[in-house]
Amino acid sequence: MDFLRRHNFTDYALISHAKNVGTVQNLLDAAKNTRNNYVKCIGQGDMLSDEFVLRDLYNDFITTDAEVMGADYVSFKNFAVPLELIEDYRIPQDMNCYRNGSLKEKRYNLLIKHDYIHGPTLIYKRESLIYYLELLAAAKIKYTEDIIPWIMVADKVKISYLNRITVYYELGIGFSSSRSSVMRHNHEDTIRLIIKRIQDKDPDFARELADEQKKRIDMRKQYSRKKAHNNKIKKRLGIFARPVIMAVHFIRYIRSLIIKPEEKPYIFSTRTDVNTDFANLCITRE
């Protein structure tokens, strides 16, 4: 509040909740309390890239007939002057797909490859945002508001992409970075919701999506079993665990220099860096 007053920023609303209602309901309440046609969302720790970014987002978005638009961003870790930028963390991997690709290509990239548009860069048409947030809330999904574009492309709604850095994204904070089981289950529930929505209109794609989702869940279960097995071994080794593990990693490193490993698909994980203890601040413009 003091910060806003010092910078003469008076056109805002703060929305509080008596308990943690989750990011979906947080954003839904914020969107319903906006007055204009477009909503730009951003989480704590993240920063708009410059003083002209909202103008550029708005001017580009209104020239499209899209319901949502994403954009480029740069990650950083820890506030400092200058910022410690992390150039090698970037999603989506295939930006050209969202800039110039067809709706079919975007559907495949988002839903099958999980190469998603980063949540803090998104700007929505207000009515569409409210519609899809209410859809998630009705399904009792609390934390996957960042993957609304997934449901949109499943519904064959147009999405757009701005070739401009709009956000500095603080990496490694927020609820989603904890990799909690709640976030994982919410994500799986959202995919099931998408499959249910499209299974009658597009049964082939729904089947492909269901098969891909089963593969990912099976891989996750296999990883969990392997992790539990490794933890048991560490416990048995006791004080010798660390040197043994270091030796195994060293041997694997030497082998990697000699034997070329098989190429494996990169598995993406969803992120929604919004602190659920605070209300979302939605900046809008007519």
Side-chain angles (χ1 to χ4, degrees), residues 143-242:
Y143 297 111
T144 54
E145 79 293 338
D146 272 8
I147 62 173
I148 285 176
W150 296 37
I151 315 175
M152 287 180 158
V153 294
D155 288 346
K156 298 187 178 180
V157 171
K158 183 175 179 180
I159 63 176
S160 183
Y161 197 91
L162 178 63
N163 185 20
R164 181 208 198 285
I165 292 173
T166 60
V167 169
Y168 289 109
Y169 167 70
E170 188 174 17
L171 189 62
I173 65 169
F175 178 61
S176 63
S177 297
S178 67
R179 300 181 182 274
S180 77
S181 61
V182 176
M183 277 295 299
R184 185 173 69 251
H185 292 147
N186 269 226
H187 180 267
E188 291 170 2
D189 288 343
T190 305
I191 297 296
R192 280 191 282 269
L193 174 67
I194 292 171
I195 294 169
K196 187 177 179 180
R197 287 176 68 82
I198 66 174
Q199 61 186 1
D200 292 333
K201 296 179 181 177
D202 198 345
D204 291 339
F205 190 77
R207 197 176 304 111
E208 184 178 8
L209 180 55
D211 290 343
E212 181 64 26
Q213 182 64 5
K214 185 179 183 302
K215 288 178 188 175
R216 290 176 183 272
I217 292 173
D218 289 344
M219 286 177 64
R220 195 177 295 122
K221 287 178 179 177
Q222 184 180 359
Y223 172 78
S224 296
R225 286 193 295 268
K226 186 175 180 181
K227 186 176 180 182
H229 176 69
N230 288 342
N231 286 338
K232 285 182 182 178
I233 293 175
K234 287 179 187 178
K235 194 172 181 179
R236 290 174 185 170
L237 288 172
I239 60 172
F240 300 105
R242 185 173 178 79

Side-chain angles (χ1 to χ4, degrees), residues 127-140:
E127 294 303 321
S128 286
L129 176 61
I130 291 173
Y131 171 78
Y132 283 101
L133 286 170
E134 287 180 336
L135 189 70
L136 292 173
K140 302 187 184 307

